[in-house]
């Protein structure tokens, strides 16, 4: 027969359970506040630019106080850097989830390029190539920002390289060097992105998307049949 629990032990156990629930709820609230501030920071950066964004602007957009923003992020540079990292991590996770449902390597590649140049209006978090212009500019002078930029590019090139390898294994793609293709294609995406961000009338989002996919099809040896409707050439 199981020995009954002593009253004191029972009270301690219940108290511990309540404490753990409070801690979990507090952690969840803290994460929500932090994400709210990061999203606010992204909005401010896109409107004012990295250099002109202030803690006070982010606090006002998030509906909180500058002191609380500083409590979470310590400095302006840390806040803005974390916001950019949050944006990239969210975008990458969304991309991986979306391509998982596509059966062909060519289709998965097209989906990632489309996400880069043909973003949906309800994309979360809402970001633009202007944000990345600020990232590249700041990376030249700030080591922490440079680290975010480097890790982002490394992850992106690794993803492209894996897609090429998968396509070659399935017989979709020809015998190109996956690493070299990833480096060149990533540079092409970034180069066209600069033109798009600066509003070059000769390089619309649709045109950039089409050029990238035509290049990929020619290099990898597959026939490209567009899955995405485009406009604004």
């Amino acid at each position: 027969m199981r020995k009954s629990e002593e009253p004191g032990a029972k009270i301690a156990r219940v108290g511990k359970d309540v404490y753990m629930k409070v801690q979990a709820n507090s952690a969840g609230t803290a994460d929500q506040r932090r994400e709210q501030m990061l999203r606010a920071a992204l909005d401010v950066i896109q409107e004012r630019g990295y250099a002109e964004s202030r803690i006070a602007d982010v606090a006002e957009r998030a509906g909180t106080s500058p002191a609380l923003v500083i409590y979470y992020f310590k400095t302006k540079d840390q806040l803005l850097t974390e916001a950019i990292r949050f944006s990239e991590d969210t975008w990458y996770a969304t991309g991986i989830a979306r391509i998982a449902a596509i059966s062909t390597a060519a289709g998965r590649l097209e989906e990632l390029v489309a996400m880069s140049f043909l973003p949906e209006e309800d994309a979360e978090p809402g970001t633009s190539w202007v944000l990345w212009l600020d990232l590249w500019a700041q990376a030249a002078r700030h080591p922490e920002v440079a680290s975010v930029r480097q890790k982002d590019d490394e992850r992106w090139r690794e993803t492209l390289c894996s897609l090429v390898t998968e396509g070659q294994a399935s017989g979709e793609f020809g015998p190109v060097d996956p690493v070299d293709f990833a480096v060149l294609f990533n540079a092409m995406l970034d180069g066209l992105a600069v033109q798009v961000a600066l509003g070059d009338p000769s390089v619309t989002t649709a045109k950039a998307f089409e050029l990238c996919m035509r290049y990929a099809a020619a290099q990898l040896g597959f026939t490209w049949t567009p899955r995405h409707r485009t406009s604004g050439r």
Side-chain angles (χ1 to χ4, degrees), residues 13-217:
R13 176 177 59 77
V14 172
K16 182 178 180 181
D17 290 344
V18 171
Y19 173 78
M20 294 297 290
K21 290 179 180 179
V22 170
Q23 289 292 94
N25 290 336
S26 296
T29 301
D31 289 342
Q32 291 174 359
R33 286 177 179 170
R34 188 174 187 279
E35 181 175 325
Q36 182 182 23
M37 294 175 194
L38 291 174
R39 291 179 180 275
L42 288 173
D43 289 342
V44 172
I45 294 172
Q46 291 184 89
E47 291 177 6
R48 302 176 61 93
Y50 190 102
E52 299 299 323
S53 296
R54 304 177 304 168
I55 290 286
D57 300 322
V58 175
E60 181 179 2
R61 183 63 60 88
T64 188
S65 67
L68 189 60
V69 176
I70 293 173
Y71 171 79
Y72 276 93
F73 296 100
K74 311 305 179 187
T75 67
K76 167 190 164 180
D77 283 344
Q78 182 177 339
L79 166 64
L80 301 186
T81 301
E82 286 296 323
I84 292 174
R85 182 182 288 115
F86 168 76
S87 175
E88 173 58 20
D89 287 347
T90 304
W91 187 94
Y92 187 81
T94 300
I96 293 302
R98 286 174 60 162
I99 67 175
I102 300 174
S103 60
T104 66
R108 291 193 290 275
L109 178 63
E110 182 185 14
E111 185 65 26
L112 289 179
V113 177
M115 286 182 65
S116 296
F117 291 113
L118 306 174
E120 298 177 355
E121 293 182 359
D122 60 348
E124 288 290 339
T127 57
S128 72
W129 280 112
V130 174
L131 178 68
W132 301 107
L133 289 181
D134 272 334
L135 171 67
W136 294 325
Q138 295 299 318
R141 296 179 177 83
H142 298 282
E144 187 174 359
V145 180
S147 176
V148 173
R149 196 283 312 162
Q150 180 181 347
K151 291 178 181 177
D152 169 40
D153 277 350
E154 288 175 351
R155 178 166 60 178
W156 183 231
R157 286 193 292 264
E158 288 172 0
T159 300
L160 292 172
C161 186
S162 296
L163 279 175
V164 174
T165 301
E166 292 170 6
Q168 290 173 332
S170 65
E172 293 180 60
F173 299 158
V176 301
D177 186 300
V179 175
D180 287 349
F181 174 83
V183 171
L184 287 171
F185 197 60
N186 185 56
M188 182 180 186
L189 290 169
D190 287 348
L192 288 170
V194 172
Q195 306 305 311
V196 170
L198 295 177
D200 189 324
S202 298
V203 187
T204 63
T205 55
K207 188 64 174 179
F209 169 72
E210 179 187 345
L211 289 173
C212 285
M213 289 310 302
R214 282 167 50 191
Y215 173 82

